[in-house]
Every structure is written in structure tokens, then in C-alpha cells.
Amino acid sequence: MTILEAEHIKKSFGKTKVLKDISFSLEEGEVLSIIGSSGSGKTTLLRCLNFLERPDGGIIKVKGETVFDAANVGSMSEAEIRRKRLHFGLVFQSFNLFPQYTALENVMLAGQLLAKERPDYKRRKKEINQALEEQAVTLLKQIGLGNRMNNYPHQLSGGQQQRVAIARALALQPDILCFDEPTSALDPELTGEVLKVMKELAEQKTTMVIVTHEMAFARDVASQVIFMDRGTICEQGDPREVFENPKEERTRQFLSRFNG
């Protein structure tokens, strides 16, 4: 089943065209790795997918439903955008945890905010919060932090904080989990912790879009890889083919930096 379709996505900041007619699709359970030099448009593309940036052109579909159409963008209310954003869970580069909340509270927070919009929230508050807590505990145990759930972010290592951020993104059960350079702020040992969790998610057939500079992960774990350069997709396909037999000169030049 095709879960994500991006058609002719464009985005400019002032006179700078950051994304130039980007199109791709993703099947349910697949892992898409997006690679490329800094400034190639990778992060902007990810932010456009979950409406942190609004594309200037193009269409985004999730499970066949059009969740964004630049031609009709004026008709989308903020409430509607928030609802459609729930299709995506986003893990940021720098964790973005709330320092005043414990790991458990960080994972529960988004669910609590959404629950407050329910008409039955006041009547079922205790029951709802208990269910959210049970879910958060399960997720924190899943990522190996069952014994740190009552710690605050400053009491956790960078790798542990990023794992909490992954649990938080999973808590709302998104259709697609998006990662924006999730290991860029970590040293090699902590990077390994986070990549281990991501590999386990891939093995569980979690649909993921990952912007990364971890070339071994992109080659060995992803179902497909996109190489971006200057706002365009230069090459796309099976990771082994792209890494071992790149067709484009720009892809070869980029990958040569990692192949010694």
C-alpha cells in the first residue's frame, strides 16, 4: 500500500529556490533515507511534509488522502493543519524535550493536550491519563529507558534524550515517523544507541523518512534512498544500487567522501 505521495513539491525563501519540483512515493513499512550535502534541501523537504513549512507548490497525499494541495492552501484552517500533521511524527536534531518535564511526562504531553479537546475529557480525565501513562511506560521500556522515566532531560545523556524524543514521536501512533539528522548532535557511542532503536523500528516495519549523514545506515537499513543536491532529486532507488553503482556524477562525488 502506498502510504505517502509527494508530487511536485516546491519551496522558496525569498528569491532562493530551496526545493525544485520534488516527487517521490513511499510504501507502508518502508524506510526512506534522504542523503545529500548541507543546504541541498533535505530538512526543508521534511518540514514541508509535516507542515512546519508550507510548500509553495505541489500535493502531499497520505494513504490516498490529499492532506496538502498548494492550489487550495487558503482553505486550510490551523485546526485542520494540526489534525493532518498527526499523520507524521517528527524527531528533531536537538531532541527538543521540555526541560521542566520528566521523560515520562514528555512522552505523555502531546496525548494529554489532544485529549483535552475531547468533549468527554473532564468526565474521563483519570481514565484517559492512566491510559496515556501506560502507553508512555511501554514505549520507554521499548527503547531501553524503563529505569529512567522519572528523570528530567538534564539528567539524561544526549542519546537517552533522543530516545525519549523517539518515544514521544511514536506516542501519537503516526502513519509515518520522520527523523531530521537524529544523530548529528551525538558522539559515536551515543549515535550507536539511537541507530539501534531506529534499526529495531525498521525491523518492526515502521514507515520512516530519515534525513541522515549515517551512510552505513542508509545503505544497510533503508528500503530506498534519495540523493538530493541543490533542491532537486539527483538519484533515487535501491540503496545498494545507489551506493555501489551511482548513475549521476554528483552522486559519485558526494559518496566518494564517505568511501575513502
Side-chain angles (χ1 to χ4, degrees), residues 8 46 63-64 70 92 100 108 113 118 142 147-148 165-166 175 183-184 187 222 228-229 233 236:
H8 308 294
L46 204 64
K63 294 182 175 178
F92 298 90
Q100 70 272 35
M108 292 175 60
L113 293 174
R118 291 170 50 166
Q142 179 183 333
N147 62 338
R148 304 301 297 272
I166 293 172
D175 295 304
T183 60
S184 64
D187 63 33
M228 289 185 64
D229 186 59
I233 293 178
Q236 177 178 3

Side-chain angles (χ1 to χ4, degrees), residues 13-242:
F13 294 103
K15 296 181 179 180
T16 303
K17 294 181 180 179
V18 179
L19 298 178
K20 308 169 185 175
D21 200 13
I22 300 290
S23 296
F24 66 90
S25 64
L26 184 65
E27 297 298 305
E28 187 172 13
E30 283 191 334
V31 176
L32 169 64
S33 286
I34 304 176
I35 62 174
S37 302
S38 296
S40 60
K42 306 184 303 295
T43 292
T44 299
L45 174 58
L46 204 64
R47 290 174 66 86
C48 282
L49 291 178
N50 53 52
F51 311 114
L52 292 177
E53 301 286 352
R54 289 199 186 189
D56 301 321
I59 295 172
I60 299 170
K61 297 179 182 178
V62 177
K63 294 182 175 178
E65 175 197 358
T66 298
V67 297
F68 178 86
D69 184 347
N72 299 317
V73 69
S75 63
M76 291 179 66
S77 66
E78 287 300 320
E80 186 178 6
I81 289 173
R82 285 198 303 272
R83 180 182 66 81
K84 292 183 175 182
R85 189 176 285 148
L86 295 175
H87 287 295
F88 302 89
L90 181 58
V91 179
F92 298 90
Q93 293 182 33
S94 52
F95 327 135
N96 284 20
L97 299 180
F98 291 96
Q100 70 272 35
Y101 296 129
T102 65
L104 182 67
E105 291 166 339
N106 265 283
V107 176
M108 292 175 60
L109 184 58
Q112 289 175 322
L113 293 174
L114 285 173
K116 289 178 180 179
E117 298 179 3
R118 291 170 50 166
D120 63 346
Y121 178 72
K122 288 185 179 179
R123 177 170 55 86
R124 300 182 56 209
K125 180 178 179 180
K126 184 176 180 181
E127 175 189 348
I128 291 170
N129 282 325
Q130 182 178 347
L132 289 171
E133 182 173 345
E134 290 173 357
Q135 179 203 40
V137 168
T138 298
L139 287 170
L140 287 167
K141 287 180 178 178
Q142 179 183 333
I143 61 168
L145 291 177
N147 62 338
R148 304 301 297 272
M149 62 183 66
N150 292 316
N151 289 119
Y152 290 89
H154 74 272
Q155 297 172 313
L156 301 172
S157 69
Q160 289 169 335
Q161 290 185 64
Q162 193 61 296
R163 283 188 278 158
V164 173
I166 293 172
R168 179 180 60 183
L170 288 167
L172 294 180
Q173 299 178 314
D175 295 304
I176 303 155
L177 195 58
C178 300
F179 294 82
D180 183 16
E181 298 282 10
T183 60
S184 64
L186 305 176
D187 63 33
E189 181 179 354
L190 300 181
T191 292
E193 291 180 13
V194 173
L195 291 179
K196 179 176 181 290
V197 172
M198 294 169 65
K199 287 177 183 178
E200 289 170 353
L201 290 171
E203 290 167 0
Q204 295 162 15
K205 299 299 182 182
T206 304
T207 307
M208 296 188 281
V209 178
I210 304 169
V211 171
T212 184
H213 279 110
E214 298 293 336
M215 295 298 114
F217 181 92
R219 183 191 63 221
D220 298 335
V221 179
S223 311
Q224 60 171 306
V225 65
I226 284 174
F227 169 63
M228 289 185 64
D229 186 59
R230 289 174 279 186
T232 65
I233 293 178
C234 290
E235 195 152 351
Q236 177 178 3
D238 177 88
R240 293 284 179 178
E241 285 296 316
V242 172

